[in-house]
Amino acid sequence: MKRADYEKAVKRLEEIVEKLEEGNISLDEAMKLFDEGTKLTAGCYDILKKAEQKITDINDLETV
């Protein structure tokens, strides 16, 4: 996932949260949205972990 993809995923997550909070959707639709949100969250988490590792690597190089 690239930065643009990350930003799209976060925007989509915001949309999903809004729909789920409104509560006027069927249980089936809510489950589909929840599943999609879970996958998007996992993808975003992976991107953030990779970015964190890059920062750690750069800091380690600077302290050597």
Side-chain angles (χ1 to χ4, degrees):
M1 215 184 258
K2 297 177 185 174
R3 180 179 175 168
D5 293 334
Y6 176 82
E7 291 173 3
K8 282 183 187 178
V10 170
K11 182 161 180 55
R12 179 64 182 145
L13 279 168
E14 290 171 351
E15 293 169 358
I16 290 170
V17 169
E18 282 181 33
K19 286 182 180 182
L20 290 172
E21 286 179 341
E22 288 173 2
N24 57 357
I25 57 175
S26 69
L27 178 59
D28 186 51
E29 181 66 17
M31 294 298 293
K32 287 178 184 176
L33 289 171
F34 180 81
D35 185 51
E36 180 184 355
T38 300
K39 290 174 183 174
L40 289 169
T41 300
C44 289
Y45 179 79
D46 287 343
I47 290 172
L48 292 174
K49 288 302 287 181
K50 288 176 185 176
E52 180 182 39
Q53 186 59 50
K54 284 182 183 181
I55 291 168
T56 299
D57 293 346
I58 290 169
N59 284 335
D60 288 347
L61 288 174
E62 289 178 354
T63 59
V64 172

